[in-house]
Amino acid sequence: MSSKATSSRSRRSRRAVRAEDSYSGVADLYKEKWTWDKVAWGTHCVDCYPGNCPFFVYVKDGIVWREEQAGTFTQIEEGIPDNNPMGCQKGAAWSQQLYSPDRLMHPLKRAGERGSGKWKQISWDEALTEVADALIDTIREDGPESIIREGTPEIAAVTEAQRFLDMIGAVTTDLNGSINDFASGLYETYGKFNGVSEIGDWFNSELVLIWHMNPAYTRIPHFHFVAEARYHGAEVVSIAPDYNASAIHADAFMPVRPGTDAALALAACQTIIEEGLLDRGFVVEQTDLPLLVRADTKRFLCASDLDADGLEDQFYWWDSGEGALAEAGRGSLDLGGVDPALEGAFEVELPGGERVEVTPVFELLKARLNEHYTPEQAADICGIDANDIRWLARKVAQRRTNIMMGYNSMKNYHGDLMERSMALLLGLTGNWGKHGTGTRCWSTGLLDGIAIAMAKEQPGLEGAQQVMVSALGTIEETLAEDPSLTPELAMIEFQKQVAQGLGGFSGGMGENVVPAAFFWYYHCGYREVWNRREWSDPAMSRPFDDYVEEAFDKGWWGELPELAERAEPRVLIECGGNILRRTRGGTTMLLEHLWPKLKMIVTVDLRMSMTAMHADIVLPAANHYEKIGFHIPTPHLMNATFSDKAVEPAGEAKPEWEIFQLLARKVSERAKQRGLTEYRDWRGNKLDLGTLGDRYTLDGALEDEETLFDDILRDTGLSGALPAGTNLETMREHGHVRFVDWGLSPMALAQASDVKADEVHVPFRRHTEQKDPYPTLTRRAQFYLEHPWFFEADEALPRHKEPPKMGGNYPLHVTSGHIRHSIHAMNMTNPVLLQTHRGHPFCFLNPQDAATRGIDDDEEVKVFNDFGSYQVPVKIASSVRPGQIILYNGWEPFMHKGWKGGSDVEPGMVKWLHFVSYGHLSFWPAQWQPVPFDRGVYVEAEKVVEPVEA
Amino acid sequence: MNAPEKAKLEHQLAMVFDLNKCIGCQTCSVACKVLWTRDEGMEHQWWATVNTQPGKGTPKNWEEMGGGERGGAPVAGHLPTKEEFGGGWEYDFDRLFYGGKGSAETLRPTKGAPEWGPNWDEDQGAGEYPNSYYFYLPRICNHCTNPVCMEACPRGVMHKRPEDGIVLRDEDRCRGYRFCMEACPYKKIYYNHVRNIGQQCIFCLPRIEQGVAPACARQCPSRLVFVGFLDDKSGPIHKLVNEWKVALPLHPEYGTSPNVFYVPPLSPHRLKPDGSMDTSAPRIPIEYLETLFGPRVGATLDKLKAELDGVRNGGSSEMLDTLIAYQWQSLFGPFTEDPAELAKAESANGGE
């Protein structure tokens, strides 16, 4: 670019006329922008998990002008950086969504076809009357199970909506089935998927493997701990197909071929065993690898094999010291002086005199690894150099290793195999239950007051005490019946009973919860899709339906299939979710199969979402900063994080707590007028609409949100998770309070570590230090799953399998994940955040793939496969692997031409093995169940020549 | 250069951005946007930006636009256009949601397809897979020691505050001639087309005057922005810039003596053609980094690597401990006031 010299002598001389005073005038202009009437605590009680970022909200003239991270955390542990100033660009721009043009301000009624964009503004009373009548009609004509709510973790909506829906007997789809964040492989291994360390513990790692995660996008408030761990001496390795925003901060980037992570992990395991790097003490104590397996049946040798009265879940080791069988303890992991063999073959005599050979699982594992997963063999599969795999394995064996995993592995068809292989790598090297180690997923609980407040029958601490006594009583009974249980195991048993409709409190996840997959199978057209053999694992010897039938007929899922089938959908209440954006299969499946069955679709939302646009009635909810709330409590942060009401709700919006109160009262009023108050649900329980309005608020005692949230806090103090006496005033003063104990919920107890005030949390220490058993069939981290279906699949042990060609035989492998600038669709239409990228959706392609298809940067392509198609502009980047297409999720379908989005190329396949019921593999809310996959869908992309006609 | 003015400078505020902590999240840019540049005429203004390097950045191709100082005088470079800044897109939500056209409408900017914006080439980078490379570069006004914007202004509306070196503009006297925009080699001055004036980062002056760190620094979740006076020998800025020399100015050859410094980016090992790791070659070509940070960048990275090797072998490093910033507040020198506490006190006073 040419430059021209300025002759500026005359210009410079004029500077002498500058008046100093005028600057103060300008400074005043900016100072005016920096004056406030009020500040209030705020956070974003949306599913930007783990979130919990404390902000201050700055108010002027009754309007929220901006927000800023509070930065009020004190250092938890000496030598570990503090958590400040947790937040991200989404939080820092949330205020801009309060008054943006997509904010819902008034109740709306559809005035044209669904999705036509024709609306009529109606009064709250009119809207509530319409909804109440539709609910009453449905209860009368189809039963309350035909009223459906999509389970979501949107904390500001869950409690309020769920309470109402539980009270009328409606059905809720399991939230983990809806959001697909169930780490089935971790669950298969540990009997729980939710072990998570507190963010500060990342700093304790000596080796950070960023694997199935892109924390630079998804953990913006916490990523600094990775960078700081590196400055503290840790090495950081990124294992990913694309050179993503997290990889740039790694010491090594291992460009794994998508879908082959299990092969890489297993080859590292092979190296560890081969080179004698095994942490033997950890393996024999913490895992099932020394348990004996019968050579003839391939099943664990169990007490009932040896004695007709013996337990089916009492398993054995071979004690090398005594040269004899020894019972593997069920109540403790303590070896009790036994020296369990890991290798060898032994003979056992059965009662009939028959002698069978038994070998430790480890022996089977070693044989499999040596046969199929040497680094050289794995290199051919995963594309990582064999010596680099060995380099990785040696580091894992020598260092405190933390696998930073998010929610990506579990969205692969064989994600459970990947997770089991990664867990095995950590297990062989003693890398969990210690600082700086482990894997992560999600967990909640802690703020027990929510569940207690929803379960109690009278307000105040007395009501809470009754709930506690009832829950603790049941748990004590369970513990008395089986002394080998820990409180964690007893609480899981209790939750399983609740899930089967046997009473207790639901933890706020719903009384009539069905696995979402069952609902989709029966009512949303997925049965046909899931039966596509060519999109499934070729190891299946029978049609998909045969397996489902077997699972359901054998009663593996209790009454849940029946409930799901009965939930013939008539009314959909969407509150805190966006089913048309999120669901795999997208609008293709739901608008075609579910929508026509629905007589009434109600959406309660802050903003006009894709689902709201296709609703019959839209109810405007108060935004965060306009109502009281808490972020989803989580062990990642260990804080109850408060959001206050800084301003009045915009327009006619109302907090969900008020909306569902009004609806409950309206239902009572209309039911009485129409002479239908009493009815029975599918279990035969008598329900009463006449008193619903009063019962919803415990006769008005919880009407006011101040009282409700004060109660929730006090009840949490009672359960022990917050300091006793914590109340709303405490929160207004401090904004966030660190939890002091786990309380009652099973997800919190699943952390299995004691909470310490001055030490960052790391899960599973009760297993590694106190020798508490794991909640699995074998009471150990379990790598061997001896169910007949797992044998058929050859997945009894971890292995690698090529991903099936979901969507059809196309050349581009879809990877996905959360994009940087939005949590799901929540921030997609934020007017400020829209300016931080290209202002429209995009997908990523490698330059080579773009060139062979004649696609230029920012050109619109049609992405398609045998399932569906959609249009999206391309972003070309050499950081993307050839053959990979990155379809980041969260874009609203209405941001794409023709309102088809990324979900419309995802068939949402499920894995048949996840219909199994075996030992710990059985349903309770948010746990074991089939969930659909979207990574590893195959597509083609072609340039759009003719734009879609308007 | 105006020697007498420079002599008046008592202290100089500066920042250090540690690029090994920057994740390109845009929280700094959004924090600034929400606080300062939401008025009419400021739609395309982002006083703090973060771009992917290598890349064309914002305004598009700014590094090729010229400007700066040569032979003691400002050089007029290219005047960046509105299109080169891009962004400021508007959307018609009403038509989409309530227009009755259903799926015939799509949420796209109303004034045609966007062609550039403040973060258009995000995550595109350079290199060939698997040896792709990129990093993030946050930028604000450098509040230069030789502010050519000030030199170039015929009306003398710019002023470098002697007490802290903040370059400030008298917006009331500015007539929108935009010589400053031509002269600024970093292209960090924006034209307000409604008010017909130039505008730029004010180093969060109202915050600084209250002892509060600037929004881009205090709101950075990755804790990578150090703030302080360059001559404060006890502060981290002095140590990082002058003592340890691990923080470098951007484009020192522009000649304006910028006061924002960068800890240059490390990067993962390169892969050899056979796919195995080559620990000897840096992934980001050093020649490229030299074009940004000057000839010292290689030595700086070597120093950083040596310190990393030290702690990995059980040693300790004051430099790395400083970059870790165990206490968040240690990033901000004397600017550690809590803005919420000040606002609460202010509103309490106002209410009386």
Side-chain angles (χ1 to χ4, degrees), chain B residues 222-236:
Chain B
S222 251
R223 306 153 58 100
L224 61 95
V225 190
F226 294 81
V227 186
F229 291 102
L230 205 46
D231 60 347
D232 174 5
K233 292 202 169 150
S234 64

Side-chain angles (χ1 to χ4, degrees), chain B residues 172-186:
Chain B
D172 292 341
R173 297 195 60 253
C174 177
R175 291 292 174 269
Y177 298 161
R178 287 166 272 173
F179 291 108
C180 54
M181 291 176 69
E182 287 179 349
C184 174
Y186 298 95

Side-chain angles (χ1 to χ4, degrees), chain B residues 26 28-29 32 44-51 57-59 62 65-66 78 80 85 118 137-144 149 158 167 169 180-191 198-202 250 254 260 262:
Chain B
Q26 304 288 339
C28 57
S29 56
C32 175
H44 67 294
Q45 297 196 22
W46 292 79
W47 294 350
T49 47
V50 187
N51 285 114
T58 180
W62 67 272
M65 286 183 179
H78 173 72
F85 283 109
L137 183 69
R139 298 198 301 129
I140 63 166
C141 165
N142 285 295
H143 296 274
C144 300
C149 52
M158 317 285 280
V167 175
R169 166 191 305 265
C180 54
M181 291 176 69
E182 287 179 349
C184 174
Y186 298 95
K187 302 302 167 194
K188 265 290 161 198
I189 303 176
Y190 296 81
Y191 175 59
Q199 291 180 305
Q200 75 221 72
C201 163
I202 55 170
L250 178 64
Y254 288 170
V260 174
Y262 296 91

Side-chain angles (χ1 to χ4, degrees), chain A residues 442-458:
Chain A
W442 70 272
S443 185
T444 185
L446 292 158
L447 204 56
D448 284 337
I450 295 178
I452 296 171
M454 294 304 106
K456 63 192 187 182
E457 283 165 12
Q458 54 168 296

Side-chain angles (χ1 to χ4, degrees), chain B residues 160-175:
Chain B
K160 189 165 175 68
R161 286 163 44 106
E163 63 269 42
D164 51 25
I166 294 177
V167 175
L168 206 60
R169 166 191 305 265
D170 182 346
E171 292 184 357
D172 292 341
R173 297 195 60 253
C174 177
R175 291 292 174 269

Side-chain angles (χ1 to χ4, degrees), chain A residues 114-174:
Chain A
R114 283 173 179 165
S116 66
K118 292 181 179 156
W119 299 97
K120 187 181 159 203
Q121 188 180 320
I122 57 173
S123 70
W124 269 103
D125 193 64
E126 287 171 303
L128 294 168
T129 305
E130 294 245 2
V131 177
D133 279 346
L135 293 172
I136 295 165
D137 289 346
T138 299
I139 288 168
R140 181 152 61 190
E141 290 160 22
D142 306 280
E145 297 80 28
S146 284
I147 300 164
I148 315 294
R149 173 172 179 265
E150 183 206 18
T152 78
E154 175 81 13
I155 187 166
V158 166
T159 312
E160 298 83 349
Q162 200 61 55
R163 178 172 180 79
F164 174 81
L165 290 159
D166 283 348
M167 289 174 83
I168 62 172
V171 165
T172 304
T173 59
D174 185 276

Side-chain angles (χ1 to χ4, degrees), chain A residues 22 30 75 217 241 249 820, chain B residues 22 122-123 129 170-171 327:
Chain A
S22 63
Y30 287 104
Q75 197 171 16
Y217 272 23
H249 291 300
R820 174 180 274 140
Chain B
C22 184
E122 181 183 32
D123 290 0
Y129 187 91
D170 182 346
E171 292 184 357
Q327 303 286 342

Side-chain angles (χ1 to χ4, degrees), chain A residues 1 3-4 6 11-12 14-15 17-18 20 22-23 26 30-31 33-37 39 56 58 65-71 75 79 81-82 84-85 87-89 92-93 96 101-102 108 115-119 203 216-217 220 223-224 227-228 230-235 241 243-245 247-253 255 385 388 391 608 613 820 829 832 834-841 857-858 860 875-882 894-897 899, chain B residues 2 5 18-27 30 34-36 38-39 46-47 64 72 74-76 78 87-89 91 93 96-103 105-109 114 118-120 122-124 126-127 129-130 132-136 150-154 156-159 168-171 173 179 182 199 202 206-207 209-210 218-223 266 268-269 271 276-277 283 308 311-312 320 323-324 326-328 339-340 343-344 346-347:
Chain A
M1 194 124 334
S3 305
K4 55 181 187 285
T6 1
R11 285 180 195 161
R12 247 184 241 170
R14 281 190 222 163
R15 213 169 33 222
V17 304
R18 164 172 61 75
E20 282 290 343
S22 63
Y23 291 103
V26 172
Y30 287 104
K31 273 174 197 155
K33 288 188 176 193
W34 182 247
T35 52
W36 317 103
D37 301 336
V39 291
F56 277 116
Y58 291 74
W65 199 252
R66 65 183 289 270
E67 58 278 272
E68 179 167 345
Q69 295 100 308
Q75 197 171 16
D82 63 46
N84 295 311
C88 73
Q89 83 279 41
Q96 307 310 298
D102 62 343
L108 298 173
S116 66
K118 292 181 179 156
W119 299 97
F203 189 73
Y217 272 23
I220 290 169
F223 188 88
H224 66 90
E228 287 156 2
R230 192 180 182 203
Y231 280 155
H232 187 55
E235 278 187 83
Y243 185 64
N244 59 43
I248 70 169
H249 291 300
D251 297 291
F253 168 54
D385 178 77
D388 290 345
W391 171 89
M608 193 59 115
M613 285 172 84
R820 174 180 274 140
T829 49
V832 169
L834 270 168
Q835 312 286 329
T836 64
H837 48 85
R838 288 191 167 178
H840 58 61
D857 192 49
D858 204 39
E860 185 115 352
K875 202 165 179 182
I876 299 173
S878 69
S879 54
V880 181
R881 185 185 178 93
F894 58 69
M895 301 173 90
H896 299 272
K897 296 202 171 133
W899 290 11
Chain B
N2 189 309
E5 287 249 340
D18 179 357
L19 300 185
N20 291 307
K21 283 183 153 188
C22 184
I23 53 175
C25 70
Q26 304 288 339
T27 310
V30 164
V34 171
L35 179 54
W36 301 124
R38 283 195 282 134
D39 292 347
W46 292 79
W47 294 350
E64 296 169 19
V75 176
H78 173 72
W89 305 304
Y91 298 83
F93 286 94
L96 171 72
F97 294 141
Y98 308 110
K101 294 274 172 56
S103 60
E105 293 285 349
T106 309
L107 187 71
R108 292 289 168 92
N119 191 26
W120 186 262
E122 181 183 32
D123 290 0
Q124 289 187 290
Y129 187 91
S132 339
Y133 62 92
Y134 60 94
F135 62 95
Y136 300 110
M150 183 169 98
E151 308 284 336
C153 177
V157 305
M158 317 285 280
H159 168 51
L168 206 60
R169 166 191 305 265
D170 182 346
E171 292 184 357
R173 297 195 60 253
F179 291 108
E182 287 179 349
Q199 291 180 305
I202 55 170
R207 294 170 65 110
E209 288 191 331
Q210 288 188 316
R218 193 177 182 277
Q219 292 194 241
C220 170
S222 251
R223 306 153 58 100
L266 298 159
H269 312 308
L271 298 170
S276 63
M277 279 193 278
R283 180 171 280 254
L308 279 175
V311 292
R312 281 173 187 168
L320 296 181
L323 293 172
I324 287 172
Y326 287 88
Q327 303 286 342
W328 172 58
K344 281 184 213 165
E346 193 182 301
S347 63

